[in-house]
């Protein structure tokens, strides 16, 4: 089963931050028509989000052992039992690839119909939304301390020692995917960007597909990805509106 390591998480956040920093370079003067622009304050926010994201892992949270291993499948809601029956490693890999692809599409869509300063502003907003949604998900995972579906299977004893298997809610993939889609939607509508509706539909469809693949991979329950979708959408909307 595909798992992200602590180092890989840090590398992704570092890459995200570096990408935004490069977007922040260049002229800072804007025309009166520009609603927002990228500043070094955005770079500081990205750095803060990265640190916030990594703190639970650095502190090895959650520190408590799983409540049971194996756990009783009858103790979960009926809608969540599909997550226990699913264990496709290919779906897990596909969810990772699709999430990266969705991020790429969102950044490319931000280039549509915008000048240089406005593009930098859009990229900064998208990067902020992705980083802060990941940070929020990281902390809620540590506090919720929900067992992943694998701990409800016969292989629970071997999986119980992995701290990551006690961080099921919410789905980080779903959170980041929906945050990117929601923040793009606000930006595109505010700027009257061309192809805004088509791009937004594509991004939300990709986010839904990422979420479905996480369940198919046996990494999350359906309620995990639903919680991630709500959290990510909320963070994405808030970040984009805050950058008015």
């Amino acid at each position: 089963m595909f798992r992200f390591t602590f180092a890989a998480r840090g590398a992704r956040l570092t890459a995200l931050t570096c990408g935004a920093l490069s977007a922040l370079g260049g002229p800072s003067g804007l025309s009166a028509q520009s609603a927002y622009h990228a500043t070094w304050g955005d770079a500081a926010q990205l750095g803060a989000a990265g640190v916030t994201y990594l703190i639970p892992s650095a502190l090895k949270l959650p520190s408590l052992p799983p409540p049971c291993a194996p756990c009783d499948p009858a103790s979960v809601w009926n809608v969540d039992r599909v997550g226990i029956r699913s264990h496709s490693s290919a779906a897990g890999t596909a969810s990772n690839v699709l999430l990266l692809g969705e991020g790429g599409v969102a950044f490319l869509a931000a280039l549509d119909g915008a000048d240089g300063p406005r593009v930098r502003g859009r990229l900064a907003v998208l990067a902020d939304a992705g980083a802060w949604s990941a940070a929020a998900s990281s902390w809620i995972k540590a506090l919720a301390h929900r067992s992943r579906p694998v701990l409800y299977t016969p292989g629970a004893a071997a999986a119980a020692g992995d701290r990551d298997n006690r961080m099921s809610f919410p789905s980080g993939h779903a959170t980041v995917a929906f945050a990117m889609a929601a923040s793009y939607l606000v930006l595109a509508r505010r700027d009257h960007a061309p192809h805004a509706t088509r791009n937004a539909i594509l991004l939300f469809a990709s986010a839904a597909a990422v979420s479905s693949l996480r369940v198919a991979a046996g990494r999350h329950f359906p309620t995990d990805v639903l919680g991630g979708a709500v959290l990510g959408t909320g963070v994405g909307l808030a970040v984009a509106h805050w950058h008015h």
Side-chain angles (χ1 to χ4, degrees), residues 18-123:
C18 291
L21 286 172
S22 65
L24 294 175
S28 58
L30 296 177
S31 65
Q33 288 78 19
S34 295
Y36 54 88
H37 60 91
T39 68
W40 288 107
D42 290 301
Q45 291 175 55
L46 282 170
V51 172
T52 303
Y53 173 83
L54 293 173
I55 287 175
S57 292
L59 297 178
K60 300 187 183 303
L61 299 175
S63 58
L64 297 174
C68 49
C71 302
D72 183 6
S75 64
V76 302
W77 293 327
N78 288 337
V79 68
D80 278 338
R81 292 178 187 173
V82 64
I84 301 173
R85 297 190 296 268
S86 304
H87 48 79
S88 170
S89 59
T93 301
S95 70
N96 298 324
V97 173
L98 185 56
L99 178 60
L100 291 174
E102 189 217 8
V105 169
F107 276 70
L108 287 175
L111 307 178
D112 200 8
D115 56 14
R118 190 178 295 268
V119 165
R120 290 192 291 273
R122 289 180 182 176
L123 294 181

